[in-house]
Amino acid sequence: MPVVAHSAASLLEAIGRSTDAPGAATGSSPTVNALAGRGMRRRIQDVGGRVDMQDTVVFDRPAYGRAILEYVWDNYDLMRKPLLTWLVATAQSADSEDHAVAALAELTVRHGTVDYLTTLSELVGGSHPQVLGAVMESAVRNEHVGRLAWEALYGWAEQKSYAPAVIALCRRILEDSSVDTSLAKRAIVRLRRVAHKNNGDAVVTQVLDAFDALVQHPSVAQRLAGEVHGWQQGKVSARGGTLAFLALMTVRRDGTPWLVCSPPPDIDVQRAVHDLLSCADTAAQVISRLTDWIRSCADDPGAYTQLREQLLPALRGHNMFEAGMKLMNELRGISTAEGVSVADDFYNHLVDSRLRTVFPLEENIA
C-alpha cells in the first residue's frame, strides 16, 4: 500500500506541475481540465471503476490500470508527458518485470514515433539511463519499431548525457547469448560510436567497463577481436579498437592470457601493445594489464621467457622510454621461478649496458 500511495501522489504531482492554461482558473492545469471533461467518468464507471469527488479512480480488478493508462494516452495528448514523467519516477528498478518499466516498454512499442522517442530520452536519458536501456531493449527487439529505435540510439550515442543509456542497452543485448546476429552487430556499432564521439574520461571508462564484462562471453570476444582488426586496418575508430584490445587482454584460456598463448591471427599483438604504450591516454591502462600478464606467467620459466620475448620489441622504439620505465616500476616485487626480479630482467634486456649508469633503474622508478 505505501508503494501504491506514493505512486498515486507522484502522478498527481506530475499532473499538477503542468503550466496553467491562459484564462484557466487559478490552480487548474490543461491536463486536469482535460481529464475532467465530460464522458471520461461514465466510461470508467461502465467498466467497474469508482470515481470520487477528487477524480481519483479506483478499480476492483487487475488489468484495468493498464487499460486506463492506454486510454488516457490515446485520447488525451496533454497527459502524455506527465504520464511518462510519472512512470519514470515510480520505476523501482531497471528490470523488465518492474511494472513501470513494463508499462513504458509497452507504450514505446505501441507509439514509438520519432517525437515519442525524443520525449522519452529527454525525460529518462540523463536521470535513469538503466531504465531507458531496459525500455529500449523491448523496442529494438520489436519488428515494427525496431529500426526506428536503433536509429534513435545511433543519434543518442553522440551525446554524453544519453551515452550511459546506450551503453546499458547494448550490454543487455550482447549479454543475451541467443540474440540475433544482426542485433549484436548493431549493439557493437553503437558502443563503438559512443567511444568515438565522446571524449570524456567517464564515458570512455563506461565503454571499457562494458567491454571488460562482455568479453568473457566467447561470441563477444570474437566480435571485439574484429574491432581490433578493423582498427589496425584503419577501417573503424581507433578509440573503439583500443578499448576492445584492452578488454581482450583480460581474457584467459586455461589460465593463460589469450592474446599471449593463442591470439587471433588477424590481430598484431606487438603492434597494438606498442601503440597503446606510446599513447598517453592508454599507457597506464595497458601497463596495468601487461603487469597482470607477466605476473600470471612469472612462475613458469617457459611461458615467462616466451612472453618477455614477445613484449621486448613492443617496448623498444620512439617514445617508449618513459612507458618502459613505468612498466618496470609496476613489475617491482614480481620475481621469476628462479628468484630473479622481473623488473631487473626487463631492464637488463631493454637498456644498453653503456647507458645504465646514466639511467639507473633504482632512481628512475622510485
Side-chain angles (χ1 to χ4, degrees):
M1 289 306 298
V3 174
V4 174
H6 176 75
S7 298
S10 299
L11 177 57
L12 288 173
E13 183 184 359
I15 297 171
R17 278 201 301 263
S18 300
T19 305
D20 289 351
T26 303
S28 66
S29 69
T31 50
V32 171
N33 290 335
L35 288 175
R38 185 176 181 180
M40 186 69 168
R41 182 184 300 269
R42 176 55 59 189
R43 288 186 176 90
I44 293 172
Q45 291 172 341
D46 287 346
V47 294
R50 292 184 292 106
V51 187
D52 65 17
M53 296 303 293
Q54 286 74 43
D55 288 340
T56 300
V57 181
V58 179
F59 292 105
D60 60 357
R61 302 179 193 175
Y64 280 139
R66 184 64 59 85
I68 201 67
L69 172 65
E70 294 172 358
Y71 180 87
V72 172
W73 182 276
D74 291 342
N75 294 279
Y76 296 85
D77 291 357
L78 291 171
M79 272 297 295
R80 291 177 181 175
K81 191 168 183 178
L83 279 176
L84 290 177
T85 301
W86 169 63
L87 286 170
V88 171
T90 55
Q92 300 296 306
S93 71
D95 194 291
S96 59
E97 299 300 319
D98 182 274
H99 292 299
V101 172
L104 282 166
E106 188 170 311
L107 288 175
T108 302
V109 171
R110 292 178 69 238
H111 305 285
T113 63
V114 173
D115 289 341
Y116 171 89
L117 292 175
T118 300
T119 301
L120 181 66
S121 65
E122 291 172 351
L123 292 174
V124 190
S127 58
H128 299 78
Q130 297 293 334
V131 171
L132 182 57
V135 171
M136 291 298 288
E137 181 180 6
S138 297
V140 298
R141 293 176 182 270
N142 184 271
E143 60 179 334
H144 300 295
V145 300
R147 185 176 296 276
L148 182 64
W150 279 118
E151 290 176 359
L153 288 163
Y154 193 79
W156 296 352
E158 297 183 5
Q159 304 176 54
K160 185 176 182 180
S161 59
Y162 296 158
V166 178
I167 295 170
L169 166 66
C170 293
R171 283 189 65 163
R172 294 172 75 102
I173 292 294
L174 292 167
E175 284 170 351
D176 182 357
S177 58
S178 64
V179 74
D180 183 83
T181 301
S182 63
L183 293 186
K185 181 178 180 180
R186 287 171 177 164
I188 288 289
V189 168
R190 279 143 189 84
L191 285 174
R192 180 201 305 158
R193 189 166 180 80
V194 170
H196 178 61
K197 290 292 185 176
N198 294 273
N199 295 319
D201 290 341
V203 174
V204 173
T205 299
Q206 289 178 46
V207 176
L208 180 57
D209 289 343
F211 281 174
D212 282 345
L214 293 166
V215 78
Q216 306 309 319
H217 300 271
S219 60
V220 180
Q222 292 297 333
R223 290 189 178 280
L224 293 183
E227 287 294 298
V228 177
H229 177 65
W231 159 50
Q232 294 191 321
Q233 295 296 312
K235 296 178 180 178
V236 300
S237 73
R239 185 173 292 145
T242 58
L243 294 178
F245 184 82
L246 286 169
L248 288 171
M249 291 182 74
T250 67
V251 179
R252 297 180 181 274
R253 297 285 189 266
D254 299 324
T256 304
W258 182 35
L259 294 181
V260 174
C261 61
S262 55
D266 293 335
I267 294 181
D268 186 336
V269 176
Q270 283 187 2
R271 175 186 160 194
V273 169
H274 181 277
D275 290 346
L276 268 64
L277 281 172
S278 61
C279 175
D281 293 336
T282 54
Q285 292 165 318
V286 74
I287 285 173
S288 173
R289 296 176 190 226
L290 284 176
T291 302
D292 290 339
W293 277 9
I294 294 168
R295 182 180 288 109
S296 67
C297 296
D299 293 334
D300 185 331
Y304 169 74
T305 300
Q306 177 187 354
L307 175 58
R308 184 192 64 197
E309 296 309 309
Q310 287 178 323
L311 294 180
L312 287 175
L315 292 165
R316 297 189 176 105
H318 187 58
N319 291 334
M320 295 306 297
F321 180 80
E322 182 178 357
M325 285 297 184
K326 288 181 178 178
L327 173 62
M328 286 181 278
N329 184 29
E330 293 296 320
L331 297 178
R332 184 159 302 279
I334 304 175
S335 299
T336 67
E338 293 82 5
V340 176
S341 166
V342 171
D344 291 338
D345 188 36
F346 269 78
Y347 176 80
N348 292 332
H349 281 85
L350 285 170
V351 182
D352 189 288
S353 59
R354 295 167 294 180
L355 299 176
R356 291 174 189 168
T357 56
V358 181
F359 303 108
L361 182 60
E362 291 77 12
E363 292 182 10
N364 279 278
I365 69 172

